[in-house]
């Protein structure tokens, strides 16, 4: 015959029988006839729950709560700081911007001598577009001229010096 309880009721009846044999009586978790935990502790019987496990469980849960709270606050502060920096950076306009835009407008809208020896001139973009659209043959000549001027640049002394060992 086995003395191992199969369920909670069997366990309570075994504890009750042990308590009756030893002359200890009391209640445990509302069950009449079950021995009192303090009385069983005097006899050297350990309780089913271990208070140390409750402590470690509480400590682990508290630690996780603190870690996740700190991580959340860290993320919130980082995001708000990033938004402020971005807003500040986007509100600053470089004071040289109007000067640069005026210079670019001048380059795109005026006639100018680029290189007198080679015969290079700059014309306004609007006129250049009209000329290119009206004569497609000119596009081929410009492409040939661009290719011809790019080849001597490829054979410059700095490139030749880089090739020699």
């Amino acid at each position: 015959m086995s003395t191992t309880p199969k369920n909670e009721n069997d366990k309570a009846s075994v504890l009750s029988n042990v308590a009756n044999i030893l002359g200890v009586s009391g209640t445990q978790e509302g069950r009449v006839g079950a021995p009192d935990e303090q009385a069983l502790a005097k006899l050297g019987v350990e309780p089913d729950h271990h208070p140390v496990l409750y402590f470690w469980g509480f400590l682990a849960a508290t630690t996780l709560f603190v870690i996740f709270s700190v991580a959340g606050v860290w993320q919130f502060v980082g995001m708000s700081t990033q938004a402020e920096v971005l807003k500040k950076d986007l509100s600053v306009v470089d004071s040289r911007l109007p000067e640069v835009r005026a210079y670019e407008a001048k380059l795109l809208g005026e006639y100018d001598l680029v290189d007198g020896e080679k015969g290079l001139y700059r014309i306004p973009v609007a006129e250049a577009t009209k000329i290119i659209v009206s004569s497609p043959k000119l596009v081929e000549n410009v492409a040939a001229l661009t290719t011809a001027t790019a080849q001597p640049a490829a054979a410059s002394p700095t490139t030749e010096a880089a090739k020699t060992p």
Side-chain angles (χ1 to χ4, degrees):
M1 181 172 177
S2 173
T3 58
T4 306
K6 293 184 174 107
N7 59 33
E8 192 66 30
N9 291 332
D10 289 342
K11 183 178 177 183
S13 66
V14 168
L15 289 174
S16 179
N17 289 338
V18 169
N20 287 336
I21 291 171
L22 297 173
V24 179
S25 63
T27 61
Q28 181 183 17
E29 299 177 13
R31 291 188 293 253
V32 179
D36 189 14
E37 284 185 16
Q38 291 177 349
L40 287 176
K42 289 179 183 177
L43 296 172
V45 177
E46 292 185 16
D48 290 339
H49 66 280
H50 297 285
V52 174
L53 293 178
Y54 290 138
F55 169 76
W56 288 112
F58 177 76
L59 184 65
T62 304
T63 303
L64 288 174
F65 176 75
V66 168
I67 288 172
F68 284 118
S69 297
V70 168
V73 168
W74 185 275
Q75 288 292 322
F76 176 75
V77 169
M79 288 173 46
S80 59
T81 304
Q82 184 180 13
E84 289 177 21
V85 168
L86 185 63
K87 185 186 289 185
K88 184 179 177 183
D89 287 346
L90 292 178
S91 67
V92 174
V93 177
D94 193 358
S95 61
R96 297 174 296 170
L97 184 62
E99 295 171 17
V100 170
R101 290 210 173 140
Y103 176 73
E104 289 173 346
K106 177 185 171 197
L107 289 178
L108 294 175
E110 294 181 354
Y111 292 94
D112 194 18
L113 175 66
V114 176
D115 189 358
E117 293 178 10
K118 294 182 181 179
L120 294 176
Y121 296 91
R122 181 175 32 244
I123 62 173
V125 171
E127 281 192 46
T129 306
K130 289 177 190 174
I131 293 171
I132 290 174
V133 169
S134 65
S135 59
K137 186 81 171 163
L138 185 61
V139 175
E140 295 172 10
N141 294 340
V142 170
L145 180 64
T146 305
T147 308
T149 57
Q151 288 173 353
S156 67
T158 55
T159 5
E160 291 298 322
K163 290 181 182 177
T164 55

